[in-house]
Amino acid sequence: MMMEQLLKTKGGDSFIVRIGSGEPLVVLHGGLGLDHSGFRPYLDALSDQFEVVYVDLLGNGRSGHLPDEFETDHSIWVNQINAICDVLGFEKIFLLGHSHGGVIAQRFALAHPDRLKGLILSATGPSFDHVETVMKNLVEISTPEQFEIYTTQIFIEQPDDETWAKRWRKVMPLYFATPPSEEFLDARHAKTVHRAEGFNACILHVPNFDVRGRLHEVLAPTLVIGGSKDFCFPEEVGPGLLAKLIPNAKLLMLKNSGHNPYSEEPDAFVEGVRSFASQI
């Protein structure tokens, strides 16, 4: 079964894709300013075990707009996921969040612990308090052009969708341990719906995110997956730290991955999720 839907939910319209049957696995994309499409076809393999529900977060992809005013504590998206669960009749879910989607997943785990059967955090961390580490890593892997774009054109307000898309395409190779072919990157870029609205909201939320002091409250079984060559969430400040701070967490580091372990080592990623879920 595969179904695309634009759900009318409290707070806005949520575009989702549902594949398979079984316990619900809700999947949150990173970026922000991007969409769910990068997960496919890789995580579709899980549809024989779960009902995989890919979500475009509000202000992103094909979902509706963000409100003119919102709190910068990720609650707009936490409430969106909760509303989707209400509409679809999901009492408990597995929740998978990648990168900034993992940030939102952590917020969800703290706000709605009773709704989680399991939490999966991919290439993310408990705060953004490691900018110096990111910059040091960036110098080592980027070209002068990429470094210039990343440091002067990315983490600022984007004027429109087209500009955001062009800038993002320039730095995409940095997020892979081994940069894929230009054909691969062009194809992935072409299928993504780029929204400046979502990215601009994201950068407003970044300074307010630090849950290191609260992660002991997350009691749901948790799998943390990281890429050993991820320049923006290296193990010591990202996945490894999450696994230490969350009481019931397991860590899976994929040695040949950067920031996209689900597509760089998809078999190992999927098998890790399967094994984790089967033990709950």
Side-chain angles (χ1 to χ4, degrees):
M1 177 196 80
M2 186 186 88
M3 180 186 303
E4 295 185 354
Q5 295 178 267
L6 187 64
L7 290 182
K8 299 291 183 179
T9 55
K10 184 178 180 180
D13 295 342
S14 297
F15 181 81
I16 66 171
V17 177
R18 304 169 70 180
I19 304 176
S21 60
E23 294 184 286
L25 171 64
V26 178
V27 182
L28 309 182
H29 63 84
L32 297 176
L34 306 175
D35 66 7
H36 78 278
S37 62
F39 291 121
R40 305 190 61 201
Y42 313 105
L43 299 189
D44 289 3
L46 291 165
S47 63
D48 64 351
Q49 183 175 354
F50 301 94
E51 178 179 355
V52 181
V53 183
Y54 298 108
V55 176
D56 282 355
L57 295 160
L58 289 171
N60 296 265
R62 287 185 271 176
S63 284
H65 292 289
L66 291 161
D68 292 335
E69 296 183 3
F70 49 81
E71 297 295 326
T72 56
D73 60 357
H74 297 93
S75 58
I76 184 68
W77 297 302
V78 169
N79 293 341
Q80 178 192 7
I81 302 310
N82 202 45
I84 288 172
C85 291
D86 286 341
V87 172
L88 297 181
F90 296 156
E91 292 186 10
K92 281 186 174 288
I93 62 170
F94 286 90
L95 181 63
L96 190 161
H98 173 72
S99 191
H100 205 97
V103 166
I104 296 167
Q106 292 172 67
R107 293 282 203 190
F108 187 92
L110 292 167
H112 300 285
D114 294 339
R115 197 142 223 174
L116 282 185
K117 182 166 185 180
L119 178 64
I120 304 157
L121 302 173
S122 167
T124 191
S127 78
F128 292 101
D129 188 25
H130 60 281
V131 175
E132 291 183 3
T133 299
V134 173
M135 290 299 106
K136 178 182 177 181
N137 293 340
L138 187 64
V139 168
E140 296 176 359
I141 65 172
S142 63
T143 66
E145 179 189 21
Q146 288 172 327
F147 187 85
E148 174 69 16
I149 292 170
Y150 196 91
T151 55
T152 65
Q153 298 180 23
I154 296 296
F155 287 97
I156 60 172
E157 183 174 346
Q158 302 298 319
D160 53 63
D161 296 348
E162 183 179 4
T163 301
W164 163 235
K166 288 180 178 178
R167 290 172 174 175
W168 180 248
R169 175 61 184 84
K170 292 286 188 180
V171 300
M172 275 180 69
L174 300 173
Y175 289 83
F176 296 84
T178 301
S181 68
E182 291 300 309
E183 291 77 13
F184 173 91
L185 293 169
D186 285 342
R188 178 161 173 166
H189 191 69
K191 71 178 182 179
T192 302
V193 177
H194 298 84
R195 297 267 300 273
E197 175 185 1
F199 183 78
N200 292 340
C202 169
I203 59 176
L204 292 176
H205 285 73
V206 164
N208 299 314
F209 179 69
D210 186 344
V211 294
R212 288 174 290 188
R214 292 197 60 196
L215 287 180
H216 64 278
E217 300 172 31
V218 177
L219 300 181
T222 301
L223 173 65
V224 186
I225 306 177
S228 293
K229 299 178 182 179
D230 185 355
F231 83 96
C232 49
F233 280 109
E235 181 176 353
E236 64 274 13
V237 294
L241 184 55
L242 285 170
K244 290 179 181 178
L245 295 176
I246 297 174
N248 192 16
K250 297 179 180 179
L251 176 64
L252 172 62
M253 293 300 298
L254 299 184
K255 302 300 183 184
N256 297 312
S257 291
H259 192 62
N260 294 283
Y262 62 85
S263 64
E264 294 180 88
E265 296 182 75
D267 291 344
F269 190 102
V270 166
E271 180 53 36
V273 174
R274 288 192 191 280
S275 177
F276 165 71
S278 69
Q279 296 174 42
I280 298 176

